[in-house]
Amino acid sequence: MTTERLDQPRALRRSLRPHYDPEAFGRLSEQIARFLGTGRFIVYMTVFVAVWVIWNVAAPPNLKFDPYPFIFLTLMLSLQASYAAPLILLAQNRQGDRDRIQYEQDRDTADRNQAEIEYLTREIAGLRLALSELATRDYLRAELKQLAEELKERR
């Protein structure tokens, strides 16, 4: 019976599975997916297929490597598609994760902004209440004018 000790790191085990960095693989898949979604890729693929077909139709018989039904070309395109689809899905999943994180950050920022707006609104309301209790310059002038007129009338 072996028990693992939690106060010591695990011993390194050899594995037959190859080790890869998921983050590096994800970045590579995004680069590939970005390239597959460009007009440049479509042009390259069109030129590749056109050269393949022209070569296997117009070349001398001993240089043709994929006769008319172009089965090998079909196999190559199927292989390319079978690798491209999962890479595109992986890139979309990573983009979805980034979008979700960005949405959460935006929501937090909006909550903070809302709290600041509410605080400033309360402060402005407090200032308005405080100012309404203060004597303004116009109010003091009017009162002093009224007192001056009352003093003139008494004389």
Side-chain angles (χ1 to χ4, degrees):
M1 180 172 136
T2 61
T3 59
E4 289 189 35
R5 294 192 52 171
L6 297 178
D7 62 338
Q8 295 177 354
R10 289 183 178 172
L12 292 176
R13 290 186 244 162
R14 294 189 182 247
S15 174
L16 296 177
R17 295 185 335 204
H19 174 71
Y20 73 100
D21 180 14
E23 191 62 28
F25 187 75
R27 285 191 304 269
L28 176 66
S29 70
E30 287 176 341
Q31 290 173 346
I32 292 170
R34 265 189 231 107
F35 175 69
L36 291 177
T38 63
R40 178 182 289 173
F41 172 75
I42 293 172
V43 169
Y44 288 165
M45 190 58 101
T46 302
V47 168
F48 174 77
V49 170
V51 167
W52 185 294
V53 169
I54 290 169
W55 180 267
N56 285 295
V57 168
N62 61 338
L63 295 178
K64 292 180 182 179
F65 57 90
D66 191 18
Y68 166 64
F70 307 119
I71 295 171
F72 188 54
L73 175 64
T74 304
L75 177 68
M76 296 293 289
L77 293 175
S78 298
L79 182 65
Q80 182 270 331
S82 69
Y83 275 97
L87 290 175
I88 291 170
L89 289 175
L90 178 62
Q92 287 176 342
N93 289 342
R94 287 173 51 90
Q95 184 61 45
D97 292 343
R98 276 195 300 275
D99 290 345
R100 181 182 45 78
I101 290 168
Q102 184 64 43
Y103 171 75
E104 290 171 1
Q105 290 173 347
D106 290 347
R107 189 178 64 218
D108 291 343
T109 302
D111 290 344
R112 280 193 306 274
N113 289 342
Q114 182 66 30
E116 288 177 14
I117 289 169
E118 290 173 1
Y119 170 75
L120 291 174
T121 302
R122 285 191 297 275
E123 287 296 312
I124 291 172
L127 287 173
R128 283 185 177 167
L129 289 174
L131 282 176
S132 68
E133 295 171 3
L134 291 177
T136 63
R137 183 174 41 189
D138 293 336
Y139 175 76
L140 287 176
R141 282 185 183 157
E143 290 295 316
L144 287 173
K145 193 183 233 183
Q146 185 180 359
L147 283 174
E149 287 176 4
E150 286 178 12
L151 286 174
K152 281 183 185 177
E153 289 176 7
R154 286 186 189 170
R155 287 192 193 155

